[in-house]
Amino acid sequence: MVLNPLTNSNKIFTSLLGFILVLSLLFLLVPVFAVVINGFRMISAAAATNEIRFSLMLSLRTTTEAAVICMIAGTAAGYAMHQLPPLLQKVTFSVISIPMSLPHLVSGVALLLVYGQMGIGGLLYRISGIDFVYTKQGIVLALVFVNLSYAIIMMYSSYDSNLDRLEFTARTLGCTKAKAFFTVTVPETFPTFLSAAVMTWTRALGEFGAVIMIAGSTQMKTETLPTAVYLNMATGDLDIALSVSAILIFVSVFCIVLLQLIIPGCSGKEKNTCWT
């Protein structure tokens, strides 16, 4: 039996694509599994230390605070962008995207320059006593700066012409613009809000570069989980560093699975949900 040359060519092409996919998965997953396998056995021992417990609680607290701020501001700013004329939407979108393209260390330097003692941070400290340099407030500041653009863009993408029509209908029935937003727009965009909140929280939990530039890496003071990995690697305590890395991986995987379970069709193909 002689195979059709076209059919044979299609099989070769499909096999090549499959091979590239498998190779990519191996490249991405093998290092992750290596960390999990080597760090899993030390998780309980690491979690028993005061240092790691402090880092865990500090990370959870600052990450949650930053995620709340990002989602409140992201929802409002994304909606405000949607109200702009098309040209201004494009310009604003481009400007808001700039922080996302910056190396995180550069973001930290920028925050230190503006919110340090030589910038408006010095004025804020003299007026209110709030200091961002080498403090927990600085951690939250860095997390918000790095993730706010992401939250705004995700929420902006959820406001479309269908929502405009629903809002218009609500307003013809007597709703104010604010009431239409809270009773129509917010419920309709809740899946995107939820996915953006989870992803913002996850991204903030693993942030290192911007945090270490403005908040430093002081043990038991500004030591988050990523900072704990860095400090323990620097001091040669590889077991603790691996265990904390494994914890961060488990949290990331849990958040991804959570999105898959609570948001139907969270595969990245559907518009306005999950990975925008």
Side-chain angles (χ1 to χ4, degrees):
M1 177 179 176
V2 180
L3 291 175
N4 186 315
L6 183 59
T7 302
N8 192 39
S9 175
N10 289 339
K11 288 184 177 180
I12 294 174
F13 180 66
T14 302
S15 299
L16 178 61
L17 293 179
F19 173 75
I20 294 175
L21 174 60
V22 171
L23 195 63
S24 299
L25 289 173
L26 289 173
F27 174 76
L28 294 172
L29 295 180
V30 167
V32 174
F33 279 115
V35 172
V36 171
I37 292 171
N38 287 279
F40 181 76
R41 58 187 175 85
M42 289 294 299
I43 287 181
S44 58
T49 64
N50 291 331
E51 177 191 356
I52 301 306
R53 284 204 301 267
F54 175 87
S55 299
L56 177 61
M57 296 308 298
L58 179 61
S59 288
L60 293 178
R61 173 188 165 187
T62 55
T63 298
T64 301
E65 291 177 0
V68 170
I69 294 171
C70 284
M71 292 316 303
I72 293 174
T75 301
Y79 185 72
M81 280 179 59
H82 179 68
Q83 306 301 309
L84 297 174
L87 180 59
L88 279 180
Q89 285 188 32
K90 293 181 179 179
V91 173
T92 307
F93 185 94
S94 299
V95 172
I96 287 178
S97 299
I98 292 175
M100 293 179 60
S101 63
L102 293 177
H104 290 192
L105 285 174
V106 175
S107 298
V109 171
L111 290 173
L112 190 60
L113 183 64
V114 175
Y115 293 97
Q117 292 299 314
M118 299 299 292
I120 63 174
L123 178 62
L124 288 174
Y125 180 72
R126 288 191 292 273
I127 294 175
S128 62
I130 298 176
D131 191 9
F132 293 106
V133 181
Y134 302 124
T135 63
K136 297 174 184 178
Q137 293 91 332
I139 297 174
V140 177
L141 177 69
L143 298 182
V144 171
F145 182 83
V146 170
N147 291 287
L148 181 56
S149 295
Y150 178 81
I152 293 174
I153 289 173
M154 281 202 71
M155 293 310 300
Y156 165 75
S157 71
S158 68
Y159 307 125
D160 55 21
S161 57
N162 291 329
L163 281 176
D164 290 340
R165 287 192 290 270
L166 290 174
E167 279 194 1
F168 178 77
T169 302
R171 294 183 67 185
T172 59
L173 296 175
C175 286
T176 63
K177 193 171 182 64
K179 187 176 181 180
F181 172 75
F182 286 109
T183 59
V184 176
T185 303
V186 171
E188 286 293 321
T189 58
F190 184 71
T192 302
F193 177 90
L194 190 59
S195 63
V198 173
M199 292 306 297
T200 299
W201 189 89
T202 307
R203 285 162 52 94
L205 184 66
E207 176 56 35
F208 173 73
V211 169
I212 201 171
M213 289 303 298
I214 190 167
S217 56
T218 306
Q219 195 174 50
M220 300 291 289
K221 183 181 179 183
T222 58
E223 184 182 9
T224 60
L225 287 177
T227 306
V229 174
Y230 169 77
L231 290 176
N232 283 282
M233 286 291 291
T235 57
D237 199 337
L238 183 60
D239 287 340
I240 298 297
L242 286 173
S243 64
V244 176
S245 299
I247 292 172
L248 289 170
I249 291 173
F250 285 137
V251 171
S252 298
V253 172
F254 172 78
C255 289
I256 292 172
V257 173
L258 181 64
L259 282 179
Q260 297 285 345
L261 292 176
I262 64 179
I263 303 178
C266 185
S267 63
K269 292 183 179 179
E270 289 76 8
K271 187 178 184 293
N272 297 335
T273 56
C274 307
W275 331 113
T276 302

